Every structure is written in C-alpha cells, then in structure tokens.
Amino acid sequence: MKLYGALLSPFVRKVAVIATEKGISWDLARGGPGSTDPEFLAASPLGKIPAIDDEGFTLADSSAIAFYLDAKYPEPSLLPADPQTRGKTVFWDEYADTVLGTSGLKILFNRLVGPKLLKVGGDEAIALQGEAELPRWLDWLESQVPAQGWLVGDTFTLADIAVASTMRTLAYVGHGIDPALRPITAAWYGRVVARPAWAAVAEREEVVAKRIMAM
C-alpha cells in the first residue's frame, strides 16, 4: 500500500500505525499541500494528507482510511463491534483530530512546519493561541484516561492510536505529556508506545525527524 504524507503528521502516523498493527505492508510517498503530483492529487483531490493507494483503490482522510482498512483487513479489529464501544472509539478519533489536533497544530504549523519545512514563516500569535487552548483539552484527557487498559476498555483500538499520535506530534514542539502534571495520561501513553507496531513506525519516523529538527 502506498501512503502519501510524512510521519510527523499525526494523521499520517495514525494510518501507518493502523496498517502496521494489521500487518499491511506500506511505503511512504510524497504529497501534501501545494503538491502538483498527479498521482497524489488523484488519491487526495483536496490536496491533504494522508491519502492511500491500496492496489489501485485510492482514498484520503485519516478517519476514512482507518474505517476502510478495518473493514478490509479485519484482524486485529481496531473498531469494536459493540455499538457503545464503537461509538466511543469514533468519538475519541474525533477528539484527537479536531479539538486536540486543532489546538496543537496551531503550534506545530507556526513553529515547525511553516518556518522549517515549507519556508513560509509562522504566525507566533496563532501559536500562542494554541498554547492557551491546549491545557483545557489535556486536562480533560487526564480526567478520562483509565488507570489501566485502553481508552475504551480492555481492547486497544483506533481511539488509542488517534490520541497518542496527536500527542507524539505535540512533543516536537515542546508539548509532550508531562508525567508530573498528567501521570495517568503518561502511563497510558507509555502502554501505547510499547506496542511493537508503534515502535516500528517510530523507528522509521525518527530518521526523518532528526533531520528536520536539526534544520
């Protein structure tokens, strides 16, 4: 499977971890805002990442891809069959992509992506706005994370992948999880990153991350 985007993106990382958990072989391909590559744009008409090409089937948006992969490659299931648990899983995916991601990406884009990757500069006022918003959502997360297990019970799901992926990206701009402030979240995150699939993706990501952070 071809995966368009960069692993520093929480949305691309989400898809990479899902695929790895399921034993799906994937290769990264370039793509993103401003790309004129016709193959990427065919897979992602809106020009956003991630997008995939799975044996000729193309799809964009991390959540859409997650649901597709779970249906096509059902083992291990990352979207529970139980209606209530499935609903909670989708909720956590939305939380990660919107409120947590929106606040965090204001910081990420204006302090890392814009200045270092796209060379278009950044707006510090927007980054500070993100910093002001972020604690509310991190504190709420700390109040919801279970002391043991996973976000929606005893089963590792898309919920854990989506939220942890956003947290991993926030660490690049100095907003990773502080165990002293949020110990329950830190313990849960430690369980996520200990999974072999997460570690395999992180190893591939680290190569690029070191180069970018040195810019």
Side-chain angles (χ1 to χ4, degrees):
M1 183 179 77
K2 185 180 291 186
L3 172 58
Y4 291 95
L7 291 176
L8 270 67
S9 160
F11 312 115
V12 176
R13 186 186 302 108
K14 182 206 303 188
V15 173
V17 174
I18 290 169
T20 307
E21 283 278 347
K22 292 178 174 294
I24 303 167
S25 177
W26 53 274
D27 293 302
L28 278 178
R30 291 184 176 225
S35 173
T36 59
D37 180 77
E39 290 188 0
F40 167 65
L41 293 176
S44 180
L46 302 183
K48 297 181 178 181
I49 55 174
I52 62 166
D53 185 329
D54 183 29
E55 299 178 337
F57 174 75
T58 58
L59 187 64
D61 182 82
S62 65
S63 297
I65 295 168
F67 301 154
Y68 161 74
L69 292 178
D70 206 63
K72 183 176 180 181
Y73 306 95
E75 296 298 331
S77 176
L78 297 173
L79 278 166
D82 172 73
Q84 293 184 357
T85 310
R86 178 180 282 251
K88 285 291 188 182
T89 300
V90 174
F91 165 82
W92 279 112
D93 183 55
E94 179 71 5
Y95 160 83
D97 287 0
T98 55
V99 293
L100 188 63
T102 297
S103 297
L105 291 177
K106 289 178 182 178
I107 308 168
L108 182 77
F109 183 86
N110 289 289
R111 291 186 180 162
L112 178 61
V113 176
K116 291 192 175 184
L117 299 183
L118 301 180
K119 307 299 183 183
V120 296
D123 189 326
E124 182 61 15
I126 296 177
L128 291 172
Q129 184 183 69
E131 285 188 327
E133 297 168 353
L134 198 56
R136 170 190 176 187
W137 301 117
L138 295 177
D139 289 343
W140 182 82
L141 177 62
E142 177 73 5
S143 74
Q144 300 297 310
V145 174
Q148 302 294 330
W150 307 106
L151 289 178
V152 291
D154 296 331
T155 305
F156 182 75
T157 68
L158 168 64
D160 302 288
I161 296 172
V163 177
S165 186
T166 300
M167 299 307 305
R168 175 69 185 95
T169 294
L170 288 174
Y172 285 117
V173 285
H175 289 277
I177 302 169
D178 184 342
L181 291 176
R182 301 180 180 93
I184 304 175
T185 302
W188 159 80
Y189 184 74
R191 295 192 291 274
V192 176
V193 302
R195 293 183 69 85
W198 182 281
V201 174
E203 184 177 4
R204 293 179 66 167
E205 179 179 342
E206 192 66 23
V207 176
V208 177
K210 286 181 178 179
R211 176 173 56 81
I212 291 173
M213 298 308 290
M215 289 181 176

